[in-house]
Amino acid sequence: MAAMECHDLSKSLLEQCLKDYEATGRPAILRALEAIAFPASSRSNVRRRGEDGEVLGMCLGMTECWIRGPMPSRQTRERPNLCRLLCSFAQKELPGFHFTSIQVNKDYAAELHVDKKDAGDSRIIGLGPYRGGQLWVDDGSHGGKGRVANVKGRWLGFDGNLPHKVLPFTGRRYTLVFFSKLRGWNVGLDPCSKHGKMLRDLGFPLPMREPTVKNLMHSSELLLRAKKRYEAFAARSLQRGAGRTLRLHLEAPGAAFAAHVSSASPMAALKAAFGEVTKATRATKVTKEEEVGEEIEVKM
């Protein structure tokens, strides 16, 4: 029988998660995320066209109220122990990185979008037993086809003001995105600010200087250009099975072993890492842990 989800972490659960993190690391953070109930997000710009169902996610820390302006979100006020845990997690794994806000997502593949109300500089990590779900960022790299990054258990720094999109995935997928709001980044500079005091008490390492924001074109123009670039990326990569798993057979002098990588990895990067890549048999076999979409041999 599944455990009942809670709105916020209890004090005892918070203390246990902090203790477990010291002993076991990130699995303690995953257990905390699995213990809480997620609200439906109002972020319509991340919903894929034609998809039904709720987008589950919440913003902790600074957000923007249409009436009152920049202020801590309702979820921040209602989930203080979750804020404390995630801020402690970030400060230990991202020392020196300052942020006003945390976007916590559950099980949705965000459509192509830009975070136009954010300062840009962001850090993301994926947690959970999922496959696929890489992040595509339109940063102009790889001949204009953009960058694909596997964020499962890995930190990625990226500019949220650039168009980005989540590739398809299966399984339970959580993502944590740490960033600063464009309006309200300076909440920590005012010693009399009640909002600043609240966030500091929860452990938010608030920015002490104005963030550097790139002078980008309007978001609608960025998205139009990114859509074309993503189509070029998809034509080359997704049709070859991006988001699935490749089993690599590696042969080196006196040694031979197998490894698994994402098929979203550019083939050029695999060549640089492992030598000349030659395609072998295609397979659609499912192993106990992961789906294998294509086998390739690598000789060194």
Side-chain angles (χ1 to χ4, degrees):
M1 184 176 180
M4 182 177 295
E5 295 176 331
C6 55
H7 192 70
D8 188 24
L9 304 176
S10 65
K11 183 178 179 181
S12 60
L13 183 53
L14 169 65
E15 292 173 350
Q16 186 62 51
C17 288
L18 290 171
K19 181 179 178 181
D20 289 348
Y21 175 74
E22 295 298 331
T24 65
R26 294 170 184 170
I29 307 302
L30 177 59
R31 287 196 295 273
L33 294 174
E34 291 176 334
I36 62 171
F38 273 70
S41 172
S42 61
R43 298 182 68 199
S44 59
N45 66 319
V46 301
R47 184 188 297 276
R48 296 195 171 181
R49 184 175 299 178
E51 281 194 355
D52 297 324
E54 296 178 325
V55 171
L56 300 178
M58 55 185 148
C59 183
L60 305 174
M62 289 297 286
T63 187
E64 194 161 339
C65 175
W66 287 101
I67 299 175
R68 300 180 182 178
M71 64 180 297
S73 69
R74 173 184 171 185
Q75 299 299 332
T76 308
R77 301 190 297 272
E78 295 182 354
R79 304 173 190 252
N81 286 337
L82 178 61
C83 292
R84 292 186 177 98
L85 177 66
L86 297 184
C87 285
S88 175
F89 170 57
Q91 290 201 60
K92 288 176 180 176
E93 299 220 356
L94 299 171
F97 183 71
H98 298 272
F99 55 89
T100 66
S101 311
I102 312 166
Q103 179 65 34
V104 188
N105 304 315
K106 178 180 180 180
D107 287 350
Y108 75 84
E111 182 53 282
L112 187 64
H113 69 286
V114 297
D115 302 322
K116 60 184 179 181
K117 294 185 179 181
D118 299 350
D121 191 19
S122 307
R123 300 291 185 274
I124 183 174
I125 189 171
L127 300 172
Y130 67 90
R131 296 191 297 270
Q134 297 88 351
L135 186 69
W136 179 80
V137 182
D138 181 27
D139 62 358
S141 62
H142 297 100
K145 295 182 179 66
R147 173 172 55 148
V148 177
N150 180 11
V151 300
K152 183 177 180 179
R154 304 176 183 179
W155 287 104
L156 172 70
F158 73 104
D159 187 344
N161 293 152
L162 293 174
H164 50 284
K165 174 186 178 77
V166 175
L167 299 188
F169 66 89
T170 58
R172 173 73 74 224
R173 180 181 185 269
Y174 297 96
T175 52
L176 304 173
V177 189
F178 298 81
F179 62 99
S180 290
K181 298 298 291 184
L182 196 54
R183 291 186 62 204
W185 70 266
N186 57 351
V187 65
L189 297 183
D190 183 359
C192 299
S193 169
K194 62 179 182 180
H195 296 331
K197 182 179 185 307
M198 172 193 288
L199 296 180
R200 282 192 297 270
D201 289 346
L202 293 176
F204 281 83
L206 300 174
M208 290 292 102
R209 57 184 180 183
E210 187 173 3
T212 301
V213 181
K214 294 180 180 178
N215 185 21
L216 300 173
M217 65 178 70
H218 193 273
S219 60
S220 61
E221 295 174 319
L222 277 173
L223 286 171
L224 182 62
R225 184 184 67 180
K227 183 179 179 181
K228 295 178 180 177
R229 288 180 171 179
Y230 181 77
E231 289 172 352
F233 160 78
R236 179 174 177 84
S237 302
L238 293 184
Q239 291 177 5
R240 293 164 53 184
R244 301 173 71 185
T245 301
L246 298 179
R247 179 184 287 120
L248 299 184
H249 296 279
L250 307 178
E251 297 180 8
F257 59 97
H260 294 87
V261 299
S262 166
S263 56
S265 302
M267 200 58 64
L270 295 179
K271 288 181 180 179
F274 299 114
E276 185 176 354
V277 179
T278 58
K279 288 191 176 181
T281 60
R282 280 194 172 266
T284 55
K285 178 167 65 172
V286 177
T287 68
K288 184 176 180 181
E289 296 296 331
E290 57 249 315
E291 180 181 15
V292 176
E294 185 178 3
E295 284 191 16
I296 58 179
E297 293 179 348
V298 181
K299 294 184 179 181
M300 302 178 66

PDB file of all heavy atoms in Angstrom, residues 60-61 72 75-88 91 102 195-205:
ATOM      1  N   LEU A  60       9.003  27.601  -5.456  1.00  0.00           N
ATOM      2  CA  LEU A  60       9.310  27.985  -4.080  1.00  0.00           C
ATOM      3  C   LEU A  60      10.225  29.195  -4.105  1.00  0.00           C
ATOM      4  O   LEU A  60      11.067  29.324  -4.993  1.00  0.00           O
ATOM      5  CB  LEU A  60       9.994  26.832  -3.346  1.00  0.00           C
ATOM      6  CG  LEU A  60       9.249  25.491  -3.331  1.00  0.00           C
ATOM      7  CD1 LEU A  60      10.117  24.415  -2.690  1.00  0.00           C
ATOM      8  CD2 LEU A  60       7.916  25.616  -2.611  1.00  0.00           C
ATOM      9  N   GLY A  61      10.059  30.083  -3.135  1.00  0.00           N
ATOM     10  CA  GLY A  61      10.864  31.295  -3.118  1.00  0.00           C
ATOM     11  C   GLY A  61      10.138  32.439  -3.807  1.00  0.00           C
ATOM     12  O   GLY A  61       8.904  32.503  -3.822  1.00  0.00           O
ATOM     13  N   PRO A  72       7.363  36.176  -2.027  1.00  0.00           N
ATOM     14  CA  PRO A  72       7.430  34.715  -1.884  1.00  0.00           C
ATOM     15  C   PRO A  72       6.093  34.077  -2.266  1.00  0.00           C
ATOM     16  O   PRO A  72       5.028  34.614  -1.969  1.00  0.00           O
ATOM     17  CB  PRO A  72       7.748  34.512  -0.404  1.00  0.00           C
ATOM     18  CG  PRO A  72       8.431  35.776   0.003  1.00  0.00           C
ATOM     19  CD  PRO A  72       7.743  36.862  -0.770  1.00  0.00           C
ATOM     20  N   GLN A  75       3.235  28.633  -2.086  1.00  0.00           N
ATOM     21  CA  GLN A  75       3.824  27.338  -1.761  1.00  0.00           C
ATOM     22  C   GLN A  75       5.009  27.489  -0.803  1.00  0.00           C
ATOM     23  O   GLN A  75       5.278  26.597   0.009  1.00  0.00           O
ATOM     24  CB  GLN A  75       4.269  26.627  -3.043  1.00  0.00           C
ATOM     25  CG  GLN A  75       3.152  26.337  -4.026  1.00  0.00           C
ATOM     26  CD  GLN A  75       2.084  25.422  -3.446  1.00  0.00           C
ATOM     27  OE1 GLN A  75       2.368  24.611  -2.572  1.00  0.00           O
ATOM     28  NE2 GLN A  75       0.851  25.559  -3.921  1.00  0.00           N
ATOM     29  N   THR A  76       5.707  28.603  -0.874  1.00  0.00           N
ATOM     30  CA  THR A  76       6.816  28.866   0.046  1.00  0.00           C
ATOM     31  C   THR A  76       6.292  28.991   1.465  1.00  0.00           C
ATOM     32  O   THR A  76       6.852  28.417   2.413  1.00  0.00           O
ATOM     33  CB  THR A  76       7.549  30.167  -0.335  1.00  0.00           C
ATOM     34  OG1 THR A  76       7.900  30.122  -1.710  1.00  0.00           O
ATOM     35  CG2 THR A  76       8.795  30.369   0.522  1.00  0.00           C
ATOM     36  N   ARG A  77       5.206  29.739   1.608  1.00  0.00           N
ATOM     37  CA  ARG A  77       4.628  29.953   2.933  1.00  0.00           C
ATOM     38  C   ARG A  77       4.035  28.663   3.498  1.00  0.00           C
ATOM     39  O   ARG A  77       4.061  28.447   4.715  1.00  0.00           O
ATOM     40  CB  ARG A  77       3.564  31.046   2.861  1.00  0.00           C
ATOM     41  CG  ARG A  77       4.100  32.392   2.365  1.00  0.00           C
ATOM     42  CD  ARG A  77       3.088  33.510   2.530  1.00  0.00           C
ATOM     43  NE  ARG A  77       1.885  33.296   1.742  1.00  0.00           N
ATOM     44  CZ  ARG A  77       1.730  33.696   0.484  1.00  0.00           C
ATOM     45  NH1 ARG A  77       2.751  34.296  -0.138  1.00  0.00           N
ATOM     46  NH2 ARG A  77       0.593  33.502  -0.166  1.00  0.00           N
ATOM     47  N   GLU A  78       3.500  27.815   2.614  1.00  0.00           N
ATOM     48  CA  GLU A  78       2.824  26.608   3.074  1.00  0.00           C
ATOM     49  C   GLU A  78       3.753  25.406   3.219  1.00  0.00           C
ATOM     50  O   GLU A  78       3.390  24.420   3.858  1.00  0.00           O
ATOM     51  CB  GLU A  78       1.684  26.256   2.111  1.00  0.00           C
ATOM     52  CG  GLU A  78       0.573  27.286   2.092  1.00  0.00           C
ATOM     53  CD  GLU A  78      -0.568  26.899   1.173  1.00  0.00           C
ATOM     54  OE1 GLU A  78      -0.436  25.872   0.457  1.00  0.00           O
ATOM     55  OE2 GLU A  78      -1.601  27.603   1.178  1.00  0.00           O
ATOM     56  N   ARG A  79       4.963  25.476   2.618  1.00  0.00           N
ATOM     57  CA  ARG A  79       5.882  24.332   2.639  1.00  0.00           C
ATOM     58  C   ARG A  79       7.277  24.759   3.099  1.00  0.00           C
ATOM     59  O   ARG A  79       8.265  24.554   2.390  1.00  0.00           O
ATOM     60  CB  ARG A  79       5.946  23.689   1.260  1.00  0.00           C
ATOM     61  CG  ARG A  79       4.585  23.245   0.716  1.00  0.00           C
ATOM     62  CD  ARG A  79       4.713  22.776  -0.718  1.00  0.00           C
ATOM     63  NE  ARG A  79       3.416  22.564  -1.349  1.00  0.00           N
ATOM     64  CZ  ARG A  79       2.899  21.371  -1.643  1.00  0.00           C
ATOM     65  NH1 ARG A  79       3.583  20.275  -1.349  1.00  0.00           N
ATOM     66  NH2 ARG A  79       1.731  21.266  -2.223  1.00  0.00           N
ATOM     67  N   PRO A  80       7.371  25.337   4.289  1.00  0.00           N
ATOM     68  CA  PRO A  80       8.683  25.848   4.736  1.00  0.00           C
ATOM     69  C   PRO A  80       9.740  24.764   4.903  1.00  0.00           C
ATOM     70  O   PRO A  80      10.920  24.998   4.617  1.00  0.00           O
ATOM     71  CB  PRO A  80       8.361  26.526   6.074  1.00  0.00           C
ATOM     72  CG  PRO A  80       7.093  25.861   6.546  1.00  0.00           C
ATOM     73  CD  PRO A  80       6.316  25.580   5.304  1.00  0.00           C
ATOM     74  N   ASN A  81       9.347  23.574   5.349  1.00  0.00           N
ATOM     75  CA  ASN A  81      10.349  22.525   5.567  1.00  0.00           C
ATOM     76  C   ASN A  81      10.879  21.961   4.252  1.00  0.00           C
ATOM     77  O   ASN A  81      12.057  21.583   4.166  1.00  0.00           O
ATOM     78  CB  ASN A  81       9.762  21.405   6.427  1.00  0.00           C
ATOM     79  CG  ASN A  81       9.635  21.824   7.883  1.00  0.00           C
ATOM     80  OD1 ASN A  81      10.334  22.733   8.341  1.00  0.00           O
ATOM     81  ND2 ASN A  81       8.750  21.187   8.619  1.00  0.00           N
ATOM     82  N   LEU A  82      10.038  21.909   3.222  1.00  0.00           N
ATOM     83  CA  LEU A  82      10.518  21.508   1.904  1.00  0.00           C
ATOM     84  C   LEU A  82      11.531  22.532   1.400  1.00  0.00           C
ATOM     85  O   LEU A  82      12.567  22.169   0.825  1.00  0.00           O
ATOM     86  CB  LEU A  82       9.351  21.377   0.927  1.00  0.00           C
ATOM     87  CG  LEU A  82       9.722  20.994  -0.512  1.00  0.00           C
ATOM     88  CD1 LEU A  82      10.413  19.633  -0.561  1.00  0.00           C
ATOM     89  CD2 LEU A  82       8.480  21.005  -1.407  1.00  0.00           C
ATOM     90  N   CYS A  83      11.245  23.808   1.612  1.00  0.00           N
ATOM     91  CA  CYS A  83      12.191  24.868   1.232  1.00  0.00           C
ATOM     92  C   CYS A  83      13.522  24.685   1.952  1.00  0.00           C
ATOM     93  O   CYS A  83      14.596  24.786   1.344  1.00  0.00           O
ATOM     94  CB  CYS A  83      11.615  26.239   1.564  1.00  0.00           C
ATOM     95  SG  CYS A  83      10.190  26.732   0.586  1.00  0.00           S
ATOM     96  N   ARG A  84      13.463  24.413   3.254  1.00  0.00           N
ATOM     97  CA  ARG A  84      14.697  24.247   4.035  1.00  0.00           C
ATOM     98  C   ARG A  84      15.525  23.089   3.500  1.00  0.00           C
ATOM     99  O   ARG A  84      16.758  23.187   3.392  1.00  0.00           O
ATOM    100  CB  ARG A  84      14.345  24.032   5.513  1.00  0.00           C
ATOM    101  CG  ARG A  84      13.750  25.265   6.195  1.00  0.00           C
ATOM    102  CD  ARG A  84      13.558  25.052   7.693  1.00  0.00           C
ATOM    103  NE  ARG A  84      13.049  26.257   8.331  1.00  0.00           N
ATOM    104  CZ  ARG A  84      11.767  26.482   8.622  1.00  0.00           C
ATOM    105  NH1 ARG A  84      10.845  25.554   8.336  1.00  0.00           N
ATOM    106  NH2 ARG A  84      11.394  27.614   9.178  1.00  0.00           N
ATOM    107  N   LEU A  85      14.865  21.977   3.173  1.00  0.00           N
ATOM    108  CA  LEU A  85      15.592  20.811   2.683  1.00  0.00           C
ATOM    109  C   LEU A  85      16.256  21.101   1.341  1.00  0.00           C
ATOM    110  O   LEU A  85      17.449  20.806   1.144  1.00  0.00           O
ATOM    111  CB  LEU A  85      14.637  19.624   2.542  1.00  0.00           C
ATOM    112  CG  LEU A  85      15.270  18.354   1.962  1.00  0.00           C
ATOM    113  CD1 LEU A  85      16.311  17.791   2.922  1.00  0.00           C
ATOM    114  CD2 LEU A  85      14.202  17.317   1.645  1.00  0.00           C
ATOM    115  N   LEU A  86      15.507  21.682   0.397  1.00  0.00           N
ATOM    116  CA  LEU A  86      16.054  21.913  -0.938  1.00  0.00           C
ATOM    117  C   LEU A  86      17.123  22.994  -0.933  1.00  0.00           C
ATOM    118  O   LEU A  86      18.089  22.919  -1.702  1.00  0.00           O
ATOM    119  CB  LEU A  86      14.925  22.271  -1.907  1.00  0.00           C
ATOM    120  CG  LEU A  86      13.869  21.170  -2.113  1.00  0.00           C
ATOM    121  CD1 LEU A  86      12.861  21.592  -3.166  1.00  0.00           C
ATOM    122  CD2 LEU A  86      14.522  19.847  -2.495  1.00  0.00           C
ATOM    123  N   CYS A  87      16.982  23.996  -0.077  1.00  0.00           N
ATOM    124  CA  CYS A  87      18.031  25.023   0.023  1.00  0.00           C
ATOM    125  C   CYS A  87      19.308  24.432   0.611  1.00  0.00           C
ATOM    126  O   CYS A  87      20.418  24.750   0.160  1.00  0.00           O
ATOM    127  CB  CYS A  87      17.540  26.192   0.881  1.00  0.00           C
ATOM    128  SG  CYS A  87      16.344  27.267   0.059  1.00  0.00           S
ATOM    129  N   SER A  88      19.161  23.568   1.615  1.00  0.00           N
ATOM    130  CA  SER A  88      20.323  22.917   2.199  1.00  0.00           C
ATOM    131  C   SER A  88      21.006  22.029   1.165  1.00  0.00           C
ATOM    132  O   SER A  88      22.247  22.023   1.043  1.00  0.00           O
ATOM    133  CB  SER A  88      19.897  22.072   3.406  1.00  0.00           C
ATOM    134  OG  SER A  88      20.980  21.337   3.929  1.00  0.00           O
ATOM    135  N   GLN A  91      22.871  24.297  -1.386  1.00  0.00           N
ATOM    136  CA  GLN A  91      24.061  24.956  -0.852  1.00  0.00           C
ATOM    137  C   GLN A  91      25.222  23.976  -0.681  1.00  0.00           C
ATOM    138  O   GLN A  91      26.395  24.360  -0.796  1.00  0.00           O
ATOM    139  CB  GLN A  91      23.730  25.635   0.473  1.00  0.00           C
ATOM    140  CG  GLN A  91      22.818  26.842   0.293  1.00  0.00           C
ATOM    141  CD  GLN A  91      22.874  27.800   1.464  1.00  0.00           C
ATOM    142  OE1 GLN A  91      23.932  28.342   1.785  1.00  0.00           O
ATOM    143  NE2 GLN A  91      21.741  28.030   2.094  1.00  0.00           N
ATOM    144  N   ILE A 102      13.071  28.277  -6.583  1.00  0.00           N
ATOM    145  CA  ILE A 102      13.261  26.867  -6.944  1.00  0.00           C
ATOM    146  C   ILE A 102      11.989  26.390  -7.642  1.00  0.00           C
ATOM    147  O   ILE A 102      10.903  26.445  -7.053  1.00  0.00           O
ATOM    148  CB  ILE A 102      13.506  25.974  -5.713  1.00  0.00           C
ATOM    149  CG1 ILE A 102      14.565  26.571  -4.788  1.00  0.00           C
ATOM    150  CG2 ILE A 102      13.886  24.559  -6.146  1.00  0.00           C
ATOM    151  CD1 ILE A 102      14.601  25.902  -3.414  1.00  0.00           C
ATOM    152  N   HIS A 195      10.085  40.006   3.232  1.00  0.00           N
ATOM    153  CA  HIS A 195      10.235  38.897   2.285  1.00  0.00           C
ATOM    154  C   HIS A 195      11.664  38.352   2.328  1.00  0.00           C
ATOM    155  O   HIS A 195      11.880  37.129   2.328  1.00  0.00           O
ATOM    156  CB  HIS A 195       9.905  39.356   0.867  1.00  0.00           C
ATOM    157  CG  HIS A 195       8.494  39.789   0.680  1.00  0.00           C
ATOM    158  ND1 HIS A 195       7.454  39.287   1.422  1.00  0.00           N
ATOM    159  CD2 HIS A 195       7.945  40.713  -0.178  1.00  0.00           C
ATOM    160  CE1 HIS A 195       6.315  39.854   1.038  1.00  0.00           C
ATOM    161  NE2 HIS A 195       6.596  40.721   0.077  1.00  0.00           N
ATOM    162  N   GLY A 196      12.637  39.260   2.361  1.00  0.00           N
ATOM    163  CA  GLY A 196      14.024  38.845   2.433  1.00  0.00           C
ATOM    164  C   GLY A 196      14.321  38.061   3.698  1.00  0.00           C
ATOM    165  O   GLY A 196      15.024  37.038   3.673  1.00  0.00           O
ATOM    166  N   LYS A 197      13.764  38.528   4.814  1.00  0.00           N
ATOM    167  CA  LYS A 197      13.986  37.833   6.082  1.00  0.00           C
ATOM    168  C   LYS A 197      13.393  36.426   6.039  1.00  0.00           C
ATOM    169  O   LYS A 197      14.019  35.461   6.491  1.00  0.00           O
ATOM    170  CB  LYS A 197      13.362  38.625   7.231  1.00  0.00           C
ATOM    171  CG  LYS A 197      13.593  37.978   8.598  1.00  0.00           C
ATOM    172  CD  LYS A 197      12.979  38.797   9.707  1.00  0.00           C
ATOM    173  CE  LYS A 197      13.319  38.215  11.089  1.00  0.00           C
ATOM    174  NZ  LYS A 197      12.985  36.779  11.222  1.00  0.00           N
ATOM    175  N   MET A 198      12.182  36.299   5.481  1.00  0.00           N
ATOM    176  CA  MET A 198      11.552  34.983   5.385  1.00  0.00           C
ATOM    177  C   MET A 198      12.423  34.012   4.590  1.00  0.00           C
ATOM    178  O   MET A 198      12.673  32.875   5.018  1.00  0.00           O
ATOM    179  CB  MET A 198      10.182  35.080   4.718  1.00  0.00           C
ATOM    180  CG  MET A 198       9.554  33.721   4.413  1.00  0.00           C
ATOM    181  SD  MET A 198       8.118  33.814   3.309  1.00  0.00           S
ATOM    182  CE  MET A 198       6.919  34.546   4.414  1.00  0.00           C
ATOM    183  N   LEU A 199      12.906  34.461   3.437  1.00  0.00           N
ATOM    184  CA  LEU A 199      13.688  33.584   2.581  1.00  0.00           C
ATOM    185  C   LEU A 199      15.045  33.240   3.200  1.00  0.00           C
ATOM    186  O   LEU A 199      15.505  32.096   3.105  1.00  0.00           O
ATOM    187  CB  LEU A 199      13.872  34.222   1.205  1.00  0.00           C
ATOM    188  CG  LEU A 199      12.585  34.430   0.407  1.00  0.00           C
ATOM    189  CD1 LEU A 199      12.885  35.062  -0.950  1.00  0.00           C
ATOM    190  CD2 LEU A 199      11.818  33.131   0.214  1.00  0.00           C
ATOM    191  N   ARG A 200      15.680  34.215   3.819  1.00  0.00           N
ATOM    192  CA  ARG A 200      16.957  33.927   4.495  1.00  0.00           C
ATOM    193  C   ARG A 200      16.760  32.903   5.612  1.00  0.00           C
ATOM    194  O   ARG A 200      17.584  31.998   5.799  1.00  0.00           O
ATOM    195  CB  ARG A 200      17.581  35.209   5.036  1.00  0.00           C
ATOM    196  CG  ARG A 200      18.280  36.058   3.975  1.00  0.00           C
ATOM    197  CD  ARG A 200      19.125  37.152   4.619  1.00  0.00           C
ATOM    198  NE  ARG A 200      18.294  38.089   5.379  1.00  0.00           N
ATOM    199  CZ  ARG A 200      17.745  39.194   4.864  1.00  0.00           C
ATOM    200  NH1 ARG A 200      17.950  39.496   3.595  1.00  0.00           N
ATOM    201  NH2 ARG A 200      17.023  39.998   5.618  1.00  0.00           N
ATOM    202  N   ASP A 201      15.675  33.041   6.361  1.00  0.00           N
ATOM    203  CA  ASP A 201      15.398  32.104   7.449  1.00  0.00           C
ATOM    204  C   ASP A 201      15.169  30.685   6.929  1.00  0.00           C
ATOM    205  O   ASP A 201      15.422  29.705   7.638  1.00  0.00           O
ATOM    206  CB  ASP A 201      14.175  32.558   8.251  1.00  0.00           C
ATOM    207  CG  ASP A 201      14.451  33.799   9.095  1.00  0.00           C
ATOM    208  OD1 ASP A 201      15.644  34.138   9.266  1.00  0.00           O
ATOM    209  OD2 ASP A 201      13.486  34.429   9.562  1.00  0.00           O
ATOM    210  N   LEU A 202      14.688  30.567   5.690  1.00  0.00           N
ATOM    211  CA  LEU A 202      14.453  29.252   5.089  1.00  0.00           C
ATOM    212  C   LEU A 202      15.714  28.686   4.446  1.00  0.00           C
ATOM    213  O   LEU A 202      15.717  27.528   4.015  1.00  0.00           O
ATOM    214  CB  LEU A 202      13.341  29.340   4.043  1.00  0.00           C
ATOM    215  CG  LEU A 202      11.944  29.661   4.583  1.00  0.00           C
ATOM    216  CD1 LEU A 202      10.956  29.825   3.425  1.00  0.00           C
ATOM    217  CD2 LEU A 202      11.463  28.571   5.534  1.00  0.00           C
ATOM    218  N   GLY A 203      16.757  29.516   4.351  1.00  0.00           N
ATOM    219  CA  GLY A 203      18.024  29.030   3.814  1.00  0.00           C
ATOM    220  C   GLY A 203      18.335  29.449   2.398  1.00  0.00           C
ATOM    221  O   GLY A 203      19.321  28.981   1.817  1.00  0.00           O
ATOM    222  N   PHE A 204      17.530  30.333   1.802  1.00  0.00           N
ATOM    223  CA  PHE A 204      17.812  30.785   0.435  1.00  0.00           C
ATOM    224  C   PHE A 204      19.075  31.645   0.427  1.00  0.00           C
ATOM    225  O   PHE A 204      19.144  32.647   1.142  1.00  0.00           O
ATOM    226  CB  PHE A 204      16.638  31.602  -0.113  1.00  0.00           C
ATOM    227  CG  PHE A 204      15.483  30.791  -0.601  1.00  0.00           C
ATOM    228  CD1 PHE A 204      14.525  30.318   0.289  1.00  0.00           C
ATOM    229  CD2 PHE A 204      15.341  30.484  -1.949  1.00  0.00           C
ATOM    230  CE1 PHE A 204      13.446  29.560  -0.155  1.00  0.00           C
ATOM    231  CE2 PHE A 204      14.275  29.735  -2.409  1.00  0.00           C
ATOM    232  CZ  PHE A 204      13.323  29.257  -1.507  1.00  0.00           C
ATOM    233  N   PRO A 205      20.073  31.299  -0.377  1.00  0.00           N
ATOM    234  CA  PRO A 205      21.278  32.133  -0.524  1.00  0.00           C
ATOM    235  C   PRO A 205      20.990  33.243  -1.538  1.00  0.00           C
ATOM    236  O   PRO A 205      21.288  33.122  -2.719  1.00  0.00           O
ATOM    237  CB  PRO A 205      22.323  31.137  -1.042  1.00  0.00           C
ATOM    238  CG  PRO A 205      21.529  30.131  -1.806  1.00  0.00           C
ATOM    239  CD  PRO A 205      20.177  30.035  -1.152  1.00  0.00           C
TER     240      PRO A 205
END
